[in-house]
Amino acid sequence: MKYFATLAGRPRKVAVAVLAAALLLAGAAVPVYAQGPTPLPRGLAVVERILSRLYEREQAWLGLQTNHLARAAQAADKAQQLLDAAKEKGRDVTALEQALAAFRAGVAQAQAAHDQAASILGTHTGFDASGQVTDRQAARQTVVRARQSLAEAHRILLRAVRDLRRAVRDWRRSQRPQAPAASS
Amino acid sequence: MKGRIWLLAALPVVLALTASCSRGRPAAPAAPNRPPASATVVGPDRSEALADDLDKALGELEGNLNGVDTIEDLEQALGGS
């Protein structure tokens, strides 16, 4: 400082300019992470994007499956109408009754798994309200567990629908009058 | 004498009133012959129609459920993450 104070005139101006330039350069050299959040390595950013996307897809799946479950309930009502009409005509509806009871039980089971998925997605652990990842590990758990419940509901519902359809077809076949054997 | 005159004057009025009352009201028109309302009519094809409807609904639902490709997509994506 003593040396700096002894400078006067042009040399002093030069020294001030050099010092200012040095300070500016030092400021520019400060790493970016010191001024904001650490940017994620590329791989982790990709993982977070995938997790967000999966979360979004599962919510869409949940909405679709809600609709499927409502349609399954309507199908159960139709089956009940068929059963009542067939009973009025004095037909044997035992097989139909059993099939409808199994269908209703299947739909209830699927609904329970579906509700579980809805609860997991509604809690959205590891995601913020807008679906962005806040905790990778927790987000991954959310996505995996929701998928398991959604898939379980889907599997049970599909099996129930197939079984009822087959049972109704078999029952209809059994109700048709047998054609007389062709005589040769 | 005065009382008899009053009686003679009132007699036609009483007779006229009696005649009009005895005619009465015209009879209401007879109700048209309608068949008695039946309970649920079960046509011969009702259960067949219901079974067709149910089969169609279940077929569509099964098709939609089979069309859900989300499971495979998700599993692939999860495997890659």
Side-chain angles (χ1 to χ4, degrees):
Chain A
M1 278 312 259
K2 203 172 181 181
Y3 171 75
F4 190 73
T6 56
L7 291 174
R10 190 183 168 93
R12 184 174 177 160
K13 282 181 184 170
V14 171
V16 169
V18 168
L19 188 62
L23 284 173
L24 276 173
L25 284 171
V30 172
V32 175
Y33 57 75
Q35 297 172 358
T38 311
L40 281 174
R42 193 172 145 72
L44 290 180
V46 169
V47 167
E48 289 197 359
R49 265 209 309 279
I50 290 172
L51 287 169
S52 288
R53 178 90 180 111
L54 290 175
Y55 178 68
E56 202 179 290
R57 292 285 296 271
E58 285 178 349
Q59 282 181 317
W61 187 4
L62 186 79
L64 197 65
Q65 194 153 263
T66 301
N67 176 263
H68 290 155
L69 283 163
R71 286 170 62 190
Q74 287 169 2
D77 291 344
K78 284 177 195 280
Q80 185 65 56
Q81 285 175 22
L82 169 63
L83 206 149
D84 293 343
K87 212 185 258 182
E88 272 183 47
K89 286 181 78 79
R91 293 183 181 173
D92 180 10
V93 291
T94 313
L96 212 51
E97 278 174 334
Q98 285 170 352
L100 181 56
F103 181 71
R104 286 194 199 276
V107 172
Q109 237 185 313
Q111 183 71 57
H114 179 80
D115 290 346
Q116 176 73 19
S119 166
I120 293 166
L121 291 173
T123 309
H124 61 76
T125 311
F127 293 93
D128 66 12
S130 65
Q132 296 303 304
V133 175
T134 55
D135 177 335
R136 270 189 301 281
Q137 200 54 39
R140 190 184 159 85
Q141 280 297 310
T142 293
V143 166
V144 168
R145 285 178 56 224
R147 185 195 64 83
Q148 283 168 348
S149 294
L150 283 167
E152 189 188 352
H154 179 270
R155 206 168 32 247
I156 295 168
L157 188 58
L158 182 59
R159 193 177 56 225
V161 168
R162 279 181 182 156
D163 288 353
L164 179 61
R165 196 175 185 208
R166 194 181 307 116
V168 171
R169 286 185 168 184
D170 290 347
W171 176 80
R172 290 180 86 180
R173 214 171 289 126
S174 75
Q175 296 299 307
R176 283 180 194 137
Q178 297 292 320
S183 56
S184 57
Chain B
M1 190 65 185
K2 203 176 179 179
R4 283 183 187 172
I5 291 168
W6 271 112
L7 273 174
L8 285 171
L11 190 62
V13 176
V14 171
L15 286 172
L17 281 172
T18 311
S20 73
C21 285
S22 66
R23 250 182 265 139
R25 290 182 180 178
N33 284 333
R34 283 183 189 160
S38 59
T40 311
V41 177
V42 179
D45 294 324
R46 182 155 181 258
S47 58
E48 280 298 303
L50 286 168
D52 282 341
D53 192 27
L54 175 61
D55 187 62
K56 190 181 166 205
L58 289 171
E60 283 175 2
L61 184 53
E62 189 182 340
N64 286 150
L65 286 167
N66 280 327
V68 174
D69 59 353
T70 321
I71 299 172
E72 289 75 15
D73 284 1
L74 286 175
E75 285 183 350
Q76 279 175 9
L78 282 169
S81 64

